[in-house]
Amino acid sequence: MNRELIVRSSSQAVDFALLKDGKLTELHKEESSNDFSVGDIFLAKIRKPVTGLNAAFVNVGYEKDAFLHYHDLGPQLSSMLKFIKQVSSGKLKDYSLKNFPVETDIDKNGVITDVIKANQSLLVQIVKEPISTKGPRISSELSIAGRFLVMVPFSDRVSVSQKIESKEEKDRLKRLVRSIKPKGFGVIIRTVAEGQKVAELDKDLENLLNKWSAMCKKLYRAQTPSKVFVELNRASSILRDVFNDSYTGIHVDDITLYNEVKDYVAEIAPDKESIVKHYDSNVPIFEKFGIERQIKTSFGRTATMSKGAYLIIEHTEALHVVDVNSGNRSNKAKNQEDTALEVNLLAASEIARQLRLRDMGGIIVVDFIDMVKPQHRKRLFEHLRDEMKDDRAKHKILPPSKFGLIQITRQRVRPEMNIKTTEEDPNNAGKEVEAPIVLIDKITVDLEKLLKGPAKDNSITLNIHPFIAAYITKGFPSLRTKWFLEYKRWVKIQPRDAYTYLEYCFKNKDGKTIY
């Protein structure tokens, strides 16, 4: 399995596309104006504790106050408040915490007004970016993520990712980390640490300690609110979280960003430095790797799948609804139950991809095609669960209900990726139509049905707008030539001036419309 990261840079933003065997699985955008990214740490000021919510509104510099719930304060809040006070005043210059006296943990089920007060300074970390009309969600239980480890100050706990299944490996990693862990810091061992040697873990931990010290230096006489720790840029954070030995290429079209990525890869995986390549061509990088086309066909209300099946994706304020449709599917399955199972399994794979691609969060309800056999419903549930194993966002999947619905909850930490796929209608000013590139996919699907269906026509003519006709016939190999190589049938193209931009139909040798 080949995995590639494609990075496109512009003056306003940087786009990151993750490809798995050439198929787009994740799309991220880092805007230069985003000052409140997940992982950033701020020295903030408590604006107002609210007893009724058992939470506080906190000024982090955003237009709307951030929300801090009591359960997000962290048990070591008292220790952190004492540390901030001493460092900010200059009384404490040793940031290692090895000689820092730890305070008693706060009550797990306490009241927020008992532990923090208005106008108090507090270190907080962004855990959820501003979405819609809401300000950022924050936590004062800090964590600094590295390649293999996550460091948690004012703690002493060592825990291991649940995705590491081997008990022996868990015990080995815990033993190694406890031998190198500095006093006053807890450590979470990440999934990618599996199989790593103590030297690699120690190097990662030392890097995290340096970041902690650099952050603490900024606290001295710092104004509130102010950012004291910046999470890695999105390219490096994506590499940190998803990079593994299966990656075969990282392509970057900006020379400065290329050097940054190359240096980071050289640091975390020296043997993979050669896969980082600078893309320098007149053809835009997203078009070269087929990403632009996939964006046009993957976003929007309708998401197409193979052989005519498709998804309808609707968004509301409270939840997302996905409807699975078989379409006019030509299928050799013996009965309706087998067809439903085949379409549902295909849809489950596409839904798992769509959730990551659009970064959909909250509650997702999927209406699969009804299946009678319990073993089929069980197989569908297990398949969906397996397909979502690569999803880094926390999620939970419930088994199919009596109505054939599957409910999914998925963590949302950033605004959902929403890309406009419609374009201005050249035949009707002020109105919009789906992108022409989507039209080509629809024509190809319809053509396959005609050429592979039970009633095969020996002669097929495609009547279409002259602009689209030119797109299909020009170039080498042209799209029509590709159709011939695929289906071993030649399709005649008849330009029609009277047709609107996206209008088309298929006719037989007698001139009768057949589709």
Side-chain angles (χ1 to χ4, degrees):
M1 183 181 293
N2 293 331
R3 295 177 189 267
E4 294 177 292
L5 174 63
I6 315 300
V7 184
R8 177 179 68 179
S9 179
S10 68
S11 57
Q12 293 85 23
V14 180
D15 296 305
F16 307 91
L18 284 173
L19 304 181
K20 186 160 74 173
D21 289 333
K23 194 163 187 177
L24 184 65
T25 57
E26 287 188 40
L27 188 65
H28 301 271
K29 182 186 288 286
E30 182 180 43
E31 298 181 5
S32 56
S33 60
N34 187 11
D35 294 324
F36 300 90
S37 299
V38 172
D40 288 350
I41 298 176
F42 289 79
L43 181 63
K45 182 170 283 191
I46 305 297
R47 181 93 74 183
K48 184 174 62 174
V50 182
T51 310
L53 298 173
N54 206 17
F57 291 99
V58 182
N59 178 18
V60 293
Y62 188 66
E63 59 191 61
K64 289 184 178 289
D65 287 341
F67 183 80
L68 177 64
H69 194 272
Y70 184 89
H71 292 149
D72 293 322
L73 291 173
Q76 304 88 21
L77 176 70
S78 302
S79 299
M80 187 179 72
L81 290 172
K82 182 180 177 181
F83 180 81
I84 294 169
K85 189 174 181 179
Q86 292 185 11
V87 172
S88 299
S89 62
K91 290 180 180 178
L92 181 64
K93 295 185 179 179
D94 178 12
Y95 311 131
S96 65
L97 301 183
K98 60 184 177 182
N99 297 318
F100 183 76
V102 178
E103 299 291 311
T104 307
D105 289 357
I106 64 172
D107 184 3
K108 186 178 180 181
N109 299 308
V111 179
I112 197 156
T113 49
D114 292 340
V115 290
I116 59 174
K117 298 176 177 60
N119 297 318
Q120 197 169 19
S121 294
L122 183 66
L123 277 174
V124 296
Q125 188 166 30
I126 305 291
V127 295
K128 196 173 186 180
E129 292 178 11
I131 297 174
S132 185
T133 59
K134 299 176 182 177
R137 180 78 183 257
I138 57 176
S139 170
S140 57
E141 190 169 17
L142 309 180
S143 62
I144 302 176
R147 173 88 172 113
F148 304 116
L149 308 171
V150 177
M151 191 176 73
V152 183
F154 309 107
S155 174
D156 197 44
R157 185 180 174 190
V158 176
S159 56
V160 188
S161 166
Q162 293 180 354
K163 291 184 179 180
I164 298 178
E165 297 176 355
S166 168
K167 186 179 183 303
E168 292 77 11
E169 179 63 8
K170 283 184 176 181
D171 292 341
R172 183 188 76 88
L173 289 170
K174 275 188 177 181
R175 190 170 60 252
L176 291 179
V177 168
R178 282 201 179 102
S179 68
I180 59 175
K181 183 186 74 68
K183 185 182 177 183
F185 293 92
V187 174
I188 302 168
I189 302 169
R190 306 185 72 178
T191 310
V192 287
E194 189 170 7
Q196 295 298 323
K197 296 179 180 178
V198 68
E200 294 297 325
L201 301 178
D202 188 49
K203 181 182 175 183
D204 196 37
L205 190 57
E206 186 179 347
N207 184 36
L208 295 176
L209 285 169
N210 290 336
K211 289 182 178 180
W212 167 257
S213 296
M215 184 195 80
C216 291
K217 287 177 183 176
K218 295 180 182 178
L219 294 179
Y220 179 55
R221 293 183 177 175
Q223 299 295 314
T224 55
S226 62
K227 187 186 292 189
V228 293
F229 176 82
V230 181
E231 171 67 315
L232 290 171
N233 62 56
R234 189 64 62 86
S236 297
S237 65
I238 289 173
L239 286 171
R240 180 193 66 197
D241 294 341
V242 305
F243 186 79
N244 55 42
D245 292 338
S246 67
Y247 272 73
T248 55
I250 301 172
H251 305 270
V252 189
D253 67 352
D254 178 79
I255 188 64
T256 304
L257 200 54
Y258 159 76
N259 289 326
E260 288 179 13
V261 171
K262 192 176 180 69
D263 290 343
Y264 186 73
V265 172
E267 181 184 334
I268 64 172
D271 56 322
K272 284 285 187 176
E273 185 181 356
S274 60
I275 70 171
V276 184
K277 295 179 174 62
H278 177 227
Y279 179 83
D280 187 13
S281 171
N282 292 328
V283 179
I285 189 168
F286 269 26
E287 288 192 18
K288 173 68 176 177
F289 288 91
I291 297 167
E292 208 68 69
R293 180 189 186 90
Q294 292 190 59
I295 289 173
K296 292 284 188 183
T297 56
S298 297
F299 287 85
R301 183 173 176 266
T302 304
T304 57
M305 298 182 288
S306 62
K307 298 181 181 178
Y310 62 96
L311 304 175
I312 299 292
I313 303 174
E314 299 278 8
H315 307 274
T316 72
E317 188 68 26
L319 49 79
H320 307 279
V321 181
V322 183
D323 184 37
V324 178
N325 294 274
S326 59
N328 296 320
R329 186 180 174 85
S330 57
N331 196 311
K332 296 180 181 178
K334 294 179 182 179
N335 55 57
Q336 186 177 351
E337 179 77 6
D338 291 342
T339 301
L341 176 62
E342 185 181 351
V343 173
N344 283 341
L345 292 176
L346 189 70
S349 300
E350 181 62 21
I351 287 165
R353 172 176 170 261
Q354 287 286 339
L355 295 184
R356 293 174 64 190
L357 193 57
R358 302 181 187 219
D359 205 5
M360 291 163 61
I363 300 173
I364 302 106
V365 179
V366 186
D367 182 11
F368 285 99
I369 299 172
D370 289 345
M371 295 185 295
V372 177
K373 297 180 180 179
Q375 62 266 33
H376 285 176
R377 293 197 292 270
K378 182 182 178 184
R379 184 178 168 190
L380 171 63
F381 174 65
E382 291 174 347
H383 179 72
L384 179 59
R385 198 168 52 186
D386 289 341
E387 287 292 307
M388 290 191 66
K389 275 184 178 177
D390 288 339
D391 197 333
R392 288 174 289 134
K394 293 178 183 177
H395 60 272
K396 186 174 183 179
I397 308 170
L398 297 181
S401 69
K402 291 181 180 179
F403 300 109
L405 305 176
I406 286 185
Q407 299 172 66
I408 305 168
T409 59
R410 187 175 183 273
Q411 181 188 34
R412 172 167 32 194
V413 296
R414 295 185 181 90
E416 181 184 332
M417 182 68 69
N418 188 16
I419 292 178
K420 185 180 178 183
T421 57
T422 57
E423 298 178 4
E424 187 176 339
D425 186 353
N427 299 299
N428 196 339
K431 290 195 174 181
E432 293 188 337
V433 292
E434 62 185 352
I437 200 72
V438 178
L439 175 74
I440 299 300
D441 285 348
K442 289 176 70 176
I443 292 172
T444 303
V445 169
D446 292 344
L447 184 64
E448 183 179 359
K449 292 173 188 172
L450 290 172
L451 297 180
K452 290 189 174 182
K456 298 178 182 177
D457 280 280
N458 292 325
S459 178
I460 290 179
T461 301
L462 172 61
N463 292 256
I464 201 161
H465 189 279
F467 286 175
I468 310 298
Y471 177 83
I472 292 172
T473 56
K474 302 301 179 184
F476 185 81
S478 67
L479 183 60
R480 178 165 59 171
T481 304
K482 291 179 181 177
W483 287 342
F484 177 75
L485 296 173
E486 174 74 19
Y487 307 115
K488 305 297 185 287
R489 301 277 292 282
W490 189 254
V491 179
K492 296 177 183 177
I493 307 296
Q494 181 64 57
R496 294 291 185 187
D497 293 340
Y499 277 27
T500 58
Y501 196 44
L502 302 182
E503 184 181 356
Y504 69 94
C505 74
F506 291 98
K507 295 190 177 183
N508 61 15
K509 62 182 178 180
D510 299 323
K512 293 183 179 179
T513 299
I514 53 177
Y515 207 90

